[in-house]
Amino acid sequence: MQRFDKEKYAAYANARAGRSPVLKNFLFAFFIGGGICLLGELLFSLYAYLGLSERVSGMTVTVTLIFLSAILTAVGVFDRLARIAGAGTLLPVTGFSNAVVSPAMDNKSEGFVMGVGAKMFVVAGPVLVFGTAAGVVLGVVTYIVSLFSS
């Protein structure tokens, strides 16, 4: 039996791996992610023009972008865009929406409850749990610090 050698494998893999087009990937991520953010700014201006307050306009933009990316994920457009844009679609709130909708769509054949409902937060669930936990810890620390700084 031949023994696995990590160094030989690394050399073998590096010799056959293609170079990643870093500059092209960076530009696509920058411009497509920037385009998503520009869309958000345009929506914000539209909602403000329609008479919504600044706070409500901001929340409405977030909900609109989440809704649009969920629809684009459901029809298969978002994944094609993400292959081109990479992190440009991941970092805005659209990436979170895609992380919720994509597993749900992949498992819809298992039914509404055990497929869509159970798999919806497979990727986003840990983000919500640990994000909430981090917020609680930060809140407690801030409260304790404020007790001693008064």
Side-chain angles (χ1 to χ4, degrees):
M1 183 169 159
Q2 187 175 12
R3 184 172 153 87
F4 177 73
D5 185 2
K6 291 181 183 178
E7 292 171 8
K8 284 183 182 177
Y9 178 76
Y12 172 82
N14 287 335
R16 282 156 183 78
R19 290 192 47 116
S20 181
V22 176
L23 181 62
K24 182 183 98 170
N25 291 346
F26 170 78
L27 290 173
F28 277 134
F30 179 79
F31 285 110
I32 293 176
I36 292 170
C37 294
L38 176 63
L39 174 62
E41 287 294 325
L42 292 172
L43 288 169
F44 183 85
S45 295
L46 173 67
Y47 294 142
Y49 176 77
L50 293 175
L52 297 178
S53 70
E54 187 173 310
R55 183 173 179 214
V56 173
S57 292
M59 289 185 288
T60 309
V61 167
T62 303
V63 170
T64 304
L65 289 175
I66 289 170
F67 177 75
L68 290 174
S69 63
I71 295 297
L72 293 176
T73 297
V75 297
V77 173
F78 193 90
D79 292 336
R80 282 185 261 143
L81 181 65
R83 275 189 220 109
I84 297 167
T89 56
L90 176 69
L91 296 179
V93 71
T94 54
F96 180 77
S97 176
N98 177 260
V100 171
V101 174
S102 193
M105 295 300 298
D106 291 342
N107 294 288
K108 67 182 176 186
S109 63
E110 295 178 30
F112 189 70
V113 174
M114 295 308 293
V116 174
K119 305 295 182 180
M120 187 177 292
F121 293 102
V122 168
V123 176
V127 174
L128 292 171
V129 169
F130 290 110
T132 303
V136 169
V137 169
L138 181 64
V140 169
V141 169
T142 303
Y143 176 72
I144 291 171
V145 169
S146 72
L147 289 176
F148 293 108
S149 65
S150 297

